[in-house]
Amino acid sequence: MHRALLIFEILLEIFKHVNATQDPIALFLPKISAPTYLAALARTCKTFYEPAMNELWAEIYGLNPLLGCVTRLYPIIYRAKRPSYKHPDFDDIEPLSANEARQFLRHAARVRSIHLEVAFNHHFRLLSVLPEKTCMFPRLQSLFTASLPCPTRYLHLFLSPTLRRCVLCAIVSDLKLIVTRCTALEHLYLMSSGPTSSDTMSILSDSVRVCKRLVTLYFPPLDWAAWEHLSNLPTLFTVTVDMRSMVTSPSNLDNISLGPFLNLTALSFRAQTAAYITSLMQHSEFPSLKDIVISFCQFPWADAERFFYAISQFKACQTLEKIRITSWCSGGQDPDNSWTAITHLRRCPQLRVLNLQCPYCCAHLDNNSLLEAMSCWPHIRSLELNDTKCRQATITFRGLFAALRQCPHLDTLRMLIDAMNIDVDPTTEPSSSRHTSLQLLDVRSAKVVDTEAVARIIFSMLPCVDKVYHAPDSSHANAWHEVRNYLKDLKSSAVVESP
């Protein structure tokens, strides 16, 4: 055996590749699961045993694999030739003896990730023999559970001091105990399907304030005291807030004091209205924020005006690279004649991706305002403007190409274009006017009549666009199919003539 295989760390890396879901070796070997290969490696020699077993038990689903190590329970869990999978029935089985508990725990120390489901909760009565303060998984790093992992009296079994990632699909009263005992917690995902009451928010907020090393956080609504704690965490990089289940609106939005969110780079919100996130932006700095994703259920123009104005005054404007804002419902009156959303985003010079799918995002947008905005985004690569209230295109081809010249790296564009007004003659335009980076053009539901002329404009001015996309349910879909066919013929002719 090569001496490199005597190094434990090298063996671990090799066995991790064996355990990978997309293993290249599987192309040349029979269809055998990775655990089978790892078990075979563990039986090969003493040198392979420890690293192979560590990888074999690294991730488990439920407690069945460990219970299967108990001689008495093995035939119950691994019944041969079962017609269909179902969870074994443990209701009439005696709890584990002291010796059987040692068999059960034999490999538990190797487990680093466990996934639990509600159906596994009946296992815990079998573990009553375990001492009260036993940590069943001393090396556990990730816990995924569809509910509270077990009754409170057995919670200590999962509270490993090494736990880094915890995913809970319900907010429970013992949450504070979990985060208090697991001081190394870095990634916390708390999901709630039902309404978030004031008591639930209080439990959640008190628990979050205990966490000192959070890097990633996904959670329902918090009170402002918890937000203040998070705003001063230097370890925090990613935050996702799902406020759609919030019963009552947060109070004292104008009387909050937040820290700078010093290293936060990604912020995502799902909310009913824009009030919460608007106040958050107005009361903090986010000096490292690069990615913001927001989805609103209701986005009337008055809220949109305050929200986009808050972004324009946002200190993070200088660092923002990606902005995605989505809403399909507006309500209220239409904006005045001087308002358009993207004019508020001109203070974002580092912008790479802008995706606005909301009412009024293109309100009163014209060639001049588009040119002014895109002149401020020299690094932008993807621009999508989908105004759910806009029915008439206002950007002509000439205005579009003037704006594109300001963004040499743009490769994706989705917006409504005035393809009826043919104001560009590609035969008279200088070659320097061509945009050679744009590859994907989506004209949404734009009207078109002179399909051949439009195809020639795209062929001449956007040489890297091979196909024009459009809204599939548009009444002008057939006309755009003609444009695509003309464009295909033009490109085919150019290939034939090039030699």
Side-chain angles (χ1 to χ4, degrees):
M1 183 165 59
H2 195 282
R3 60 184 180 181
L5 297 179
L6 300 177
I7 302 175
F8 187 80
E9 291 76 9
I10 292 179
L11 285 180
L12 273 181
E13 290 300 317
I14 294 174
F15 295 159
K16 283 180 182 178
H17 285 287
V18 173
N19 201 23
T21 54
Q22 299 294 330
D23 189 2
I25 198 173
L27 297 174
F28 308 100
L29 294 176
K31 291 184 177 180
I32 304 175
S33 64
T36 303
Y37 287 126
L38 290 169
L41 287 168
R43 293 191 296 267
T44 300
C45 63
K46 290 183 179 180
T47 303
F48 287 3
Y49 180 81
E50 285 298 327
M53 291 299 286
N54 283 342
E55 196 59 36
L56 178 64
W57 287 95
E59 183 174 18
I60 63 174
Y61 291 80
L63 299 181
N64 278 355
L66 292 172
L67 289 170
C69 297
V70 178
T71 305
R72 174 168 59 97
L73 300 181
Y74 182 89
I76 299 175
I77 293 173
Y78 300 106
R79 290 192 181 102
K81 299 179 181 180
R82 283 189 304 212
S84 61
Y85 176 80
K86 62 179 181 179
H87 298 297
D89 186 3
F90 293 97
D91 292 340
D92 299 326
I93 299 178
E94 291 294 321
L96 302 182
S97 65
N99 181 56
E100 290 175 330
R102 285 191 289 273
Q103 295 178 27
F104 173 79
L105 294 174
R106 181 174 50 162
H107 299 300
R110 302 180 189 274
V111 176
R112 299 191 295 278
S113 176
I114 184 169
H115 300 250
L116 294 177
E117 298 178 8
V118 177
F120 290 114
N121 283 350
H122 59 264
H123 288 143
F124 297 107
R125 55 175 293 277
L126 301 179
L127 307 179
S128 57
V129 68
L130 297 178
E132 183 178 349
K133 295 186 178 180
T134 301
C135 178
M136 190 161 56
F137 304 105
R139 295 173 59 193
L140 190 66
Q141 296 180 11
S142 299
L143 172 63
F144 303 84
T145 174
S147 67
L148 180 64
C150 55
T152 303
R153 60 177 296 199
Y154 298 117
L155 189 58
H156 59 275
L157 298 175
F158 295 91
L159 301 185
S160 167
T162 62
L163 193 68
R164 297 287 191 274
R165 183 185 304 271
C166 182
V167 179
L168 293 176
C169 294
I171 309 303
V172 294
S173 58
D174 294 304
L175 178 60
K176 190 171 182 179
L177 174 61
I178 296 174
V179 298
T180 301
R181 292 280 298 274
C182 304
T183 56
L185 201 62
E186 295 178 352
H187 309 279
L188 181 60
Y189 301 82
L190 303 170
M191 304 171 197
S192 179
S193 57
T196 304
S197 65
S198 56
D199 290 340
T200 302
M201 183 185 291
S202 178
I203 292 171
L204 175 62
S205 299
D206 290 345
S207 302
V208 166
R209 289 164 64 186
V210 174
C211 302
K212 308 296 184 183
R213 299 173 58 177
L214 286 176
V215 175
T216 305
L217 182 60
Y218 182 109
F219 56 93
L222 294 174
D223 62 26
W224 288 117
W227 271 110
E228 183 176 359
H229 168 73
L230 293 175
S231 68
N232 290 289
L233 276 184
T235 57
L236 195 62
F237 277 80
T238 303
V239 167
T240 300
V241 191
D242 191 343
M243 300 184 61
R244 293 172 296 181
S245 62
M246 188 169 63
V247 176
T248 58
S249 299
S251 58
N252 299 322
L253 292 178
D254 297 324
N255 298 312
I256 57 177
S257 177
L258 299 177
F261 289 95
L262 189 61
N263 293 308
L264 190 71
T265 58
L267 179 62
S268 178
F269 263 85
R270 298 177 179 91
Q272 293 290 336
T273 67
Y276 197 100
I277 179 62
T278 300
S279 292
L280 191 63
M281 290 190 298
Q282 290 173 335
H283 291 85
S284 196
E285 298 178 1
F286 301 95
S288 302
L289 191 63
K290 293 185 177 181
D291 191 345
I292 185 166
V293 179
I294 304 175
S295 175
F296 299 123
C297 294
Q298 298 286 338
F299 202 38
W301 171 64
D303 287 353
E305 184 180 33
R306 286 190 292 269
F307 172 76
F308 283 107
Y309 177 77
I311 287 187
S312 70
Q313 304 301 311
F314 206 16
K315 292 185 178 179
C317 277
Q318 299 301 309
T319 59
L320 276 174
E321 296 181 0
K322 298 179 181 180
I323 299 176
R324 298 179 179 90
I325 300 169
T326 304
S327 178
W328 301 107
C329 186
S330 58
Q333 60 183 2
D334 292 335
D336 61 47
N337 293 330
S338 62
W339 191 85
T340 182
I342 68 169
T343 59
H344 291 283
L345 303 178
R346 290 182 298 184
R347 294 188 59 200
C348 303
Q350 301 301 322
L351 204 58
R352 267 69 170 173
V353 175
L354 176 60
N355 185 335
L356 302 182
Q357 300 190 55
C358 52
Y360 315 124
C361 68
C362 293
H364 313 299
L365 180 67
D366 57 24
N367 289 343
N368 291 332
S369 54
L370 180 66
L371 176 62
E372 291 175 4
M374 296 185 74
S375 299
C376 300
W377 306 326
H379 308 292
I380 196 165
R381 294 183 176 274
S382 176
L383 175 64
E384 180 168 353
L385 302 176
N386 186 10
D387 191 330
T388 56
K389 286 291 184 179
C390 183
R391 295 293 179 266
Q392 184 175 358
T394 55
I395 304 299
T396 67
F397 281 115
R398 181 162 297 281
L400 174 64
F401 296 137
L404 287 178
R405 284 194 288 271
Q406 309 303 315
C407 305
H409 306 294
L410 190 73
D411 57 42
T412 301
L413 177 66
R414 290 184 171 94
M415 64 181 297
L416 192 63
I417 296 174
D418 182 1
M420 301 285 288
N421 181 9
I422 307 298
D423 59 349
V424 169
D425 182 357
T427 61
T428 61
E429 294 291 328
S431 58
S432 59
S433 298
R434 301 197 309 167
H435 193 279
T436 57
S437 294
L438 194 69
Q439 299 178 27
L440 191 155
L441 176 63
D442 188 336
V443 295
R444 314 310 297 176
S445 57
K447 300 177 182 179
V448 60
V449 173
D450 193 342
T451 54
E452 184 176 4
V454 170
R456 290 189 178 280
I457 290 173
I458 295 173
F459 172 73
S460 300
M461 306 299 291
L462 304 173
C464 292
V465 173
D466 292 323
K467 182 178 178 181
V468 181
Y469 295 85
H470 53 83
D473 56 347
S474 171
S475 59
H476 311 287
N478 290 335
W480 282 106
H481 278 297
E482 288 186 21
V483 173
R484 288 165 60 176
N485 290 334
Y486 276 123
L487 186 60
K488 183 178 178 180
D489 292 341
L490 288 169
K491 287 184 176 291
S492 298
S493 299
V495 171
V496 172
E497 294 173 3
S498 57

